[in-house]
Amino acid sequence: MDKTAVFDEMWGQDERLRDPYVGFQEWFQGEDVARLRAKQREADTLFRLTGITFNVYGRAEAEERLIPFDIIPRIISGPEWARLSRGIEQRVRAINAFIHDIYHKQEIVKAGRIPQEMISRNDAFLPQMIGVAPPGGIYTHIVGIDLVRTGPGEFYVLEDNARTPSGVSYMLENRETMLQMFPELFSRNRVQPVQTYPTDLRQSLAACAPACTEGKPVVAVLTPGIYNSAYFEHAFLADQMGVELVEGHDLRVVDGRVAMRTTRGYTPIDVLYRRVDDDFLDPLNFNPDSQLGVPGIMDVYRAGNITIANAPGTGIADDKAIYSYMPEIVEFYTGERPLLRNVPTFRCSEADDLAYVLDNLADLVVKEVHGSGGYGMLIGPTASKKELAAFRAKLKARPGNYIAQPTLSLSTVPIFSRQGLAPRHVDLRPFVLASPKGIRVTPGGLTRVALKKGSLVVNSSQGGGTKDTWVLED
Amino acid sequence: MLGKTANGLFWMYRYLERAENTARLIETGQRIALTRLNDRDEEWGPVLQSAGTLTAFRAQDEDLNQETAINWMLRARGNPSSVLSCIEAARQNARLVRAAVTGEVWEAVNAAYMDARDLLARRVRERDLPQVLRAIRQSTSLVRGMTHGTMLRNEIYDFARLGTFLERADNTARILDVKYYVLLPSAGSVGTSIDNVQWETILRSLSAHGGFRMEYGAGAGPLEITQFLILDKRMPRSLAFCVDKLCDNLRYLHKGDRTLMPSLKQVNHLQAMYLSHDVNAIFDFGLHEFIGQILDHLGQVARQIEIDYRFYE
Amino acid sequence: MRLKIQHATEYRFDQPVSYGLQQLRKTPKTSPQQHIISWQTRVENGQKELSFEDHFHNTVELISFARNATALSVISEGEVELTDTSGVIGPHRGPAPLWLFRRQTGLTQAKSGVRAFLRDVGADGGLEGLHDLASAIRSSVRYEIGASHPGWSAEDVLEAGAGVCQDHTHVFLSCARELGVPARYVSGYLMLDDRTVQDAMHAWAEAHVEGLGWVGFDISNGISPDARYVRVATGLDYGDASPVSGLRVGGDGELLDVRIDVAQQ
């Protein structure tokens, strides 16, 4: 992890074009810059029109924003992807086995591979899930594994999103937009399709239907409603899967099942893909003030009469402190060596680690254990003295709340800037579907790109954009 | 289909229809005002009344004149029936039922919303008004066109149509309710022609001007106008036409069920008792009272549809 | 000893309940000290939706109100054969791991009041220490019906110095866990020697003692549970083990009537 050498995915040393980009570069050289500029504007219009916007929290409905889209695709070779997706599959298998174990016998704790406090003191551990065995043993049906690249074959997992990973609609719409704008590019390059994702998702969910299902499983998507920042994605997925998009007040317990109010009475749901957080899922069992949930759904779930995807309580595998144990977790449950690398992680809850972190704060990235969206984190190398001092105080006050990692030198991919192609840092979130029938990784995923020169923050909430991500056929 | 979705579709199309109706009332109002010799502001009271928004306008302390009336009907956020409010509400409902309508319909309604927001971002100058109204009409027409061209003819479509025709019938009845007196045989000065400004106002407000001329030429009077706007099933904004459509769509929804839904019974009743007679019977009954009863019935049907199809719990 | 129990809960409402659910934890289970001969729960003006076993091994039944009900009755009854084990329940069995019972909850959270009380008592987490603790609580918190509020935490109870069995139990759980001892709340029936009709269920605590496993402490009565005690549900606090928890829409003006009959056969 040499900080000075940034790996650019398009250009190698001495301006040598890397293989996956050959077809793209030929096309690009023949393109007129003005036309591409117009295309970039056209893309924005297309996105606005389709309504792929996100609502900014706490603002009026009028504040719908676009996540900037960059028209230069990010390209990954077939063999590279094959290696990567084997690693992702292995990791997702391990995560499901881990969650099952944690809510049953906790063998991994008994074997001394994870300290008991990591579970017993973890807010993400959901006691109501103890002893619950969902159909097929699948707890996390839809997973987003956040990866960064640092070198030719070097991918690191940054985070495992095992609760409700979002962004898949951008993966699909980015591709759709590229197909509409640059059809010729796709005839020159053989790009593996992502468009089967909604069908795969529906099949994958249906394969997890509970035993009480009669006939074809009824699947529905549960959204917090039109004011949720990801509402577009919820509606998009329901539409693409051809299933109902429901809100809490459309549902109630009827004859021991969760049923939706249709124009002809209540119809039971077999599999609910919920995009509502655990805490708000059931006012009878969790947060009593929740208006978004379904009273009694946890009871129906525990009686085995509905499948909730992802299962409640999967946050235990999504926690940044647990993350540091992922290599052990993968080995423990798969009996294999982990194929994907973990970023070395210092747990500030441990005295030695904390001391090291305080001494080397300026070189590290510090994250909140339960934080997300890039909030509440410190990027040492770019932080001011004042920021470092403030964070030092926070760390000392609540060390258990933080982990620290070395700053990785994220790879760059060119974006189409005013000055032409310009390298920017990227990450990658491939989307994974798990069902009793197996694990499926959609070739590609969501590439997030830091649009500011030199910036490492790719989060859309903080000025990041997205790109279409290509995986080439072999 | 979810009850909530039926509700969203119903209202999405009600609001689209209402946006168009309001736009048409503004157009008519302006035209009439331009052709009048006396006070041009005077005509706007009845126009607001026809749009069902006069009381709300009066509640905000402002003078009623051409400029304030147009602004109120066109873009006031405080007026839920303003063109802008209606298009926003239609789009909001479309978001709610995003998975029920086709991508084409969604994009058309989203584009209509984006256009309306641009066009109506500030007060519209009088000389720009015709062009702005035309642009709005075009973008809402596109939604209607996409609906016809791309939507499956299933219950989703039925609820869209129910919303459209309830709103349209309501609008026609409201305009007649405000202007009924000019159609009374006793009130009309005998011998006046179709050029009677009042009659023209009614016909234009309902886009019935050309159709009426085509059908009756220039020599017709109140009896024919009443016949045309209430009973003529070829006229797409007549009460009989709209109620026929309500009947059809409720019947499609009913398909296969054993018992008749109360809403269908009510519409059948409305059709049989009010819209199957001769125009003279209406005058015998009393035009104003007749319109009043139709408005009540339409309100009841709307409420009954909500109940029958579980719009709410 | 064989007990015959009937537990009737009747609700009346001025306004109809348009929708409502109740979670019932009213079904005792057979275990070394109690054998359930018969047990059943009936619902009037409502419907049983489902039942399952929760993470504390309690049988949970979910019931719904009949549409626009203005009354609801839940009647549980059955016969239980009991054995005196001097309060010893025995080794921990799942599904919840033992460490879970060291977790404080909102109702048992130990703050300055509980800590000061523990320092005064000076008890440790052994069997003797726990008995000392129980009697210290009994003498510091006067048993008084109506003195406390169901939402009171252990801290609130110590501060007020009065409460009922639920409050005694919460203070005990708070202290035991503060000492690192796994402890749980038990709701159940107690046969009284002087009468059969009662108006509330009883509550006591169990602590996990090295070598013995779970051991019961009836703080309010200052004894170990014996053959007069029927265990119905357990949990980390009252919220987990309460016989009824629910929510409803409508149903203003609730009138509740509880009648419990515990008689020796």
Side-chain angles (χ1 to χ4, degrees):
Chain A
M1 282 182 285
D2 180 0
K3 260 183 284 171
T4 51
V6 172
F7 179 78
D8 188 85
E9 300 190 11
M10 183 165 174
W11 299 102
Q13 270 174 336
D14 310 321
E15 298 294 290
R16 224 173 55 81
L17 185 64
R18 295 191 199 275
D19 288 347
Y21 283 86
V22 170
F24 170 77
Q25 175 66 2
E26 273 172 18
W27 169 85
F28 185 75
Q29 280 173 328
E31 282 295 303
D32 172 34
V33 173
R35 181 181 104 101
L36 288 180
R37 264 199 201 117
K39 284 286 179 188
Q40 181 72 60
R41 282 192 299 274
E42 185 188 330
D44 288 353
T45 313
L46 282 174
F47 276 92
R48 276 239 177 260
L49 208 54
T50 7
I52 312 186
T53 52
F54 68 99
N55 303 344
V56 182
Y57 281 114
R59 304 221 188 171
E61 193 264 336
E63 293 283 333
E64 291 172 18
R65 299 242 186 115
L66 282 185
I67 295 184
F69 170 72
D70 179 69
I71 58 172
I72 308 298
R74 185 222 197 137
I75 310 174
I76 299 169
S77 78
E80 247 171 0
W81 178 257
R83 272 197 306 281
L84 199 55
S85 72
R86 272 197 301 279
I88 294 169
E89 266 183 59
Q90 180 196 48
R91 198 154 168 121
V92 170
R93 253 189 296 139
I95 289 173
N96 270 304
F98 169 69
I99 302 172
H100 177 86
D101 185 32
I102 288 308
Y103 289 117
H104 288 84
K105 293 186 171 162
Q106 306 195 340
E107 302 286 3
I108 196 166
V109 176
K110 287 179 190 151
R113 305 292 286 270
I114 287 191
Q116 190 184 85
E117 300 75 58
M118 290 311 302
I119 310 299
S120 64
R121 301 233 175 108
N122 200 318
D123 291 338
F125 177 82
L126 193 64
Q128 284 87 344
M129 282 300 290
I130 295 170
V132 177
I138 307 291
Y139 288 80
T140 175
H141 308 74
I142 299 123
V143 197
I145 305 280
D146 286 356
L147 299 165
V148 294
R149 184 172 198 177
T150 56
E154 287 173 44
F155 286 90
Y156 284 84
V157 176
L158 218 50
E159 246 175 72
D160 303 286
N161 297 284
R163 282 176 292 184
T164 43
S166 63
V168 76
S169 58
Y170 292 94
M171 171 184 87
L172 295 166
E173 284 293 340
N174 287 354
R175 177 63 54 84
E176 201 53 45
T177 304
M178 289 296 281
L179 281 167
Q180 278 189 38
M181 292 199 309
F182 306 112
E184 73 278 12
L185 251 180
F186 290 87
S187 39
R188 273 169 191 260
N189 292 277
R190 295 176 59 213
V191 181
Q192 295 189 32
V194 295
Q195 288 90 335
T196 54
Y197 180 84
T199 320
D200 294 345
L201 174 61
R202 183 167 181 177
Q203 280 172 1
S204 186
L205 291 170
C208 297
C212 58
T213 303
E214 287 171 14
K216 210 171 139 205
V218 176
V219 177
V221 177
L222 176 66
T223 174
I226 57 171
Y227 295 107
N228 184 270
S229 65
Y231 176 78
F232 168 78
E233 177 156 302
H234 309 156
F236 176 87
L237 288 173
D239 183 34
Q240 297 282 310
M241 283 196 284
V243 304
E244 293 292 358
L245 178 67
V246 298
E247 291 176 47
H249 55 78
D250 296 317
L251 308 181
R252 66 165 47 169
V253 176
V254 177
D255 296 332
R257 310 281 318 267
V258 171
M260 54 186 168
R261 191 183 75 251
T262 75
T263 54
R264 293 166 183 276
Y266 279 93
T267 304
I269 293 173
D270 299 306
V271 183
L272 189 64
Y273 175 24
R274 52 84 182 225
R275 298 289 296 256
V276 170
D277 293 344
D278 286 359
D279 196 31
F280 294 99
L281 194 55
D282 182 351
L284 184 64
N285 287 284
F286 303 128
N287 183 349
D289 300 326
S290 170
Q291 303 285 317
L292 308 176
V294 187
I297 189 174
M298 246 340 248
D299 300 26
V300 175
Y301 183 61
R302 289 200 275 185
N305 293 347
I306 190 171
T307 297
I308 299 176
N310 290 347
T314 54
I316 192 74
D318 182 296
D319 170 279
K320 292 192 181 71
I322 294 288
Y323 163 86
S324 62
Y325 292 94
M326 277 310 289
E328 284 91 334
I329 289 172
V330 171
E331 258 191 68
F332 188 79
Y333 297 105
T334 66
E336 302 160 6
R337 292 196 50 74
L339 298 172
L340 291 177
R341 301 184 200 201
N342 236 38
V343 184
T345 302
F346 302 97
R347 300 175 200 116
C348 302
S349 55
E350 294 171 19
D352 289 355
D353 282 16
L354 179 64
Y356 178 88
V357 170
L358 289 172
D359 285 350
N360 297 279
L361 204 53
D363 300 323
L364 297 170
V365 176
V366 188
K367 297 174 179 171
E368 278 187 33
V369 173
H370 303 298
S372 69
Y375 291 106
M377 73 188 259
L378 173 87
I379 301 177
T382 61
S384 68
K385 280 202 169 136
K386 216 169 139 190
E387 285 168 327
L388 286 173
F391 226 88
R392 205 179 292 277
K394 282 199 211 173
L395 270 169
K396 283 181 185 160
R398 299 187 60 197
N401 208 23
Y402 298 94
I403 54 118
Q405 294 168 337
T407 40
L408 293 185
S409 166
L410 267 57
S411 61
T412 55
V413 172
I415 62 164
F416 187 66
S417 76
R418 250 174 240 153
Q419 289 76 36
L421 294 188
R424 292 292 185 272
H425 294 292
V426 292
D427 78 350
L428 175 64
R429 174 179 291 180
F431 292 94
V432 192
L433 298 172
S435 84
K437 291 186 176 158
I439 291 170
R440 201 194 286 255
V441 190
T442 305
L446 179 64
T447 290
R448 298 187 299 176
V449 53
L451 294 173
K452 250 191 290 172
K453 192 174 175 187
S455 168
L456 293 169
V457 183
V458 297
N459 302 77
S460 56
S461 49
Q462 299 190 45
T466 69
K467 280 172 165 297
D468 188 19
T469 309
W470 293 3
V471 174
L472 300 181
E473 303 273 2
D474 292 346
Chain B
M1 192 203 326
L2 294 177
K4 173 191 70 187
T5 307
N7 188 14
L9 286 160
F10 181 85
W11 281 103
M12 172 185 164
Y13 283 90
R14 261 199 104 142
Y15 278 120
L16 279 169
E17 178 71 25
R18 190 175 295 176
E20 290 184 30
N21 292 341
T22 305
R24 192 178 309 107
L25 278 173
I26 296 171
E27 220 163 25
T28 314
Q30 198 206 18
R31 196 193 152 80
I32 301 301
L34 285 178
T35 54
R36 300 278 314 242
L37 297 172
N38 50 350
D39 185 4
R40 49 179 253 164
D41 293 337
E42 193 176 272
E43 198 53 37
W44 287 98
V47 172
L48 290 186
Q49 209 182 343
S50 297
T53 182
L54 184 61
T55 322
F57 181 89
R58 291 251 160 85
Q60 47 130 41
D61 198 23
E62 206 169 355
D63 284 344
L64 177 58
N65 57 45
Q66 168 148 324
E67 200 193 338
T68 56
I70 290 179
N71 196 57
W72 174 252
M73 291 178 72
L74 200 51
R75 49 185 294 276
R77 301 227 180 236
N79 173 13
S81 303
S82 74
V83 173
L84 184 57
S85 297
C86 285
I87 291 178
E88 278 180 354
R91 193 251 190 182
Q92 190 75 317
N93 278 287
R95 288 188 77 206
L96 199 68
V97 301
R98 175 60 195 86
V101 295
T102 58
E104 286 91 337
V105 169
W106 159 251
E107 284 183 21
V109 80
N110 200 27
Y113 162 78
M114 296 191 316
D115 290 350
R117 269 179 33 129
D118 283 351
L119 290 166
L120 303 177
R122 54 196 68 79
R123 267 181 195 253
V124 178
R125 283 175 301 188
E126 194 175 355
R127 64 182 158 116
D128 296 333
L129 189 64
Q131 190 196 338
V132 165
L133 288 173
R134 200 176 311 123
I136 287 171
R137 199 167 42 223
Q138 271 174 10
S139 61
T140 53
S141 301
L142 195 60
V143 182
R144 200 204 321 269
M146 285 302 182
T147 305
H148 285 285
T150 66
M151 300 268 290
L152 286 183
R153 298 312 196 252
N154 57 12
E155 51 174 353
I156 292 174
Y157 192 77
D158 297 336
F159 284 108
R161 301 292 276 174
L162 287 174
T164 302
F165 289 109
L166 251 171
E167 182 64 29
R168 190 176 291 178
D170 197 58
N171 179 64
T172 299
R174 221 164 341 93
I175 287 170
L176 289 170
D177 191 43
V178 173
K179 290 278 184 181
Y180 78 96
Y181 56 89
V182 307
L183 295 173
L184 296 179
S186 56
S189 33
V190 183
T192 47
S193 70
I194 176 71
D195 295 325
N196 179 318
V197 173
Q198 294 288 359
W199 297 350
E200 192 187 339
T201 309
I202 298 180
L203 288 168
R204 277 192 187 275
S205 310
L206 294 167
S207 286
H209 195 240
F212 187 77
R213 255 187 212 290
M214 191 186 290
E215 208 46 43
Y216 294 95
L223 198 74
E224 289 79 9
I225 296 178
T226 310
Q227 154 78 29
F228 192 62
L229 297 181
I230 296 182
L231 297 174
D232 196 321
K233 291 193 179 176
R234 298 164 304 171
M235 152 62 184
R237 316 196 79 83
S238 78
L239 293 176
F241 182 93
C242 295
V243 171
D244 249 23
K245 289 288 175 190
L246 290 176
C247 216
D248 288 350
N249 285 284
L250 285 171
R251 213 175 286 132
Y252 300 145
L253 284 171
H254 160 73
K255 197 172 44 195
D257 291 347
R258 250 181 248 134
T259 51
L260 277 192
M261 281 292 192
S263 49
L264 180 53
K265 280 189 203 161
Q266 287 179 7
V267 175
N268 281 337
H269 174 79
L270 185 58
Q271 206 175 28
M273 296 301 291
Y274 290 85
L275 300 168
S276 307
H277 302 296
D278 175 45
V279 67
N280 291 308
I282 294 176
F283 283 105
D284 289 347
F285 186 86
L287 180 59
H288 194 225
E289 206 182 357
F290 176 86
I291 299 290
Q293 293 203 3
I294 294 245
L295 275 167
D296 286 350
H297 273 90
L298 290 170
Q300 272 173 33
V301 169
R303 279 190 298 278
Q304 194 60 47
I305 290 174
E306 282 181 2
I307 296 167
D308 288 353
Y309 296 100
R310 300 158 189 266
F311 284 9
Y312 308 98
E313 181 42 60
Chain C
M1 186 183 298
R2 181 183 280 209
L3 297 182
K4 188 174 163 68
I5 299 164
Q6 193 188 53
H7 179 173
T9 312
E10 280 181 37
Y11 298 87
R12 300 207 163 274
F13 306 99
D14 290 345
Q15 299 298 318
V17 176
S18 60
Y19 182 66
L21 290 174
Q22 285 195 338
Q23 255 181 10
L24 307 181
R25 286 178 172 81
K26 286 189 158 177
T27 310
K29 278 203 160 73
T30 291
S31 60
Q33 65 295 324
Q34 64 187 32
H35 176 72
I36 312 303
I37 296 159
S38 65
W39 195 270
Q40 64 151 348
T41 299
R42 278 195 332 268
V43 180
E44 286 165 18
N45 278 320
Q47 181 190 335
K48 267 193 214 180
E49 296 285 347
L50 54 88
S51 78
F52 66 95
E53 261 189 30
D54 74 7
H55 48 299
F56 298 112
H57 198 52
N58 301 315
T59 298
V60 184
E61 289 175 300
L62 185 73
I63 62 169
S64 61
F65 286 71
R67 204 181 171 86
N68 294 323
T70 51
L72 177 80
S73 311
V74 181
I75 302 121
S76 303
E77 56 193 337
E79 284 181 38
V80 183
E81 180 74 44
L82 294 138
T83 314
D84 187 353
T85 60
S86 313
V88 177
I89 306 299
H92 178 67
R93 292 183 308 181
L98 192 54
W99 56 252
L100 189 67
F101 298 92
R102 288 197 191 95
R103 270 195 178 183
Q104 298 283 18
T105 69
L107 292 174
T108 71
Q109 202 61 54
K111 292 182 189 151
S112 56
V114 168
R115 295 210 177 97
F117 175 77
L118 260 178
R119 269 197 305 278
D120 289 350
V121 178
D124 63 20
L127 188 60
E128 282 307 307
L130 293 168
H131 278 297
D132 292 349
L133 183 62
S135 54
I137 294 169
R138 190 167 182 236
S139 45
S140 300
V141 181
R142 186 175 75 254
Y143 188 90
E144 188 185 329
I145 291 168
S148 61
H149 182 270
W152 273 14
S153 68
E155 289 283 342
D156 298 333
V157 175
L158 278 178
E159 200 183 312
V164 293
C165 52
Q166 169 185 330
D167 305 304
H168 283 144
T169 305
H170 281 150
V171 175
F172 182 88
L173 296 177
S174 178
C175 293
R177 289 174 190 158
E178 187 66 10
L179 293 170
V181 178
R184 66 191 180 195
Y185 188 102
V186 186
S187 96
Y189 300 105
L190 166 59
M191 189 201 82
L192 298 175
D193 299 329
D194 55 343
R195 59 201 155 105
T196 63
V197 175
Q198 310 177 17
D199 55 12
M201 286 179 76
H202 191 42
W204 59 97
E206 286 174 2
H208 194 268
V209 179
E210 213 57 62
L212 288 173
W214 290 104
V215 179
F217 296 85
D218 179 354
I219 298 100
S220 304
N221 290 308
I223 55 169
S224 298
D226 54 26
R228 295 170 298 164
Y229 286 73
V230 179
R231 301 169 76 248
V232 177
T234 64
L236 295 186
D237 61 19
Y238 171 74
D240 287 336
S242 66
V244 180
S245 59
L247 53 77
R248 62 168 194 261
V249 182
D252 291 349
E254 178 193 286
L255 236 119
L256 176 62
D257 183 40
V258 178
R259 187 193 151 99
I260 297 173
D261 213 284
V262 183
Q264 192 173 350
Q265 279 306 91

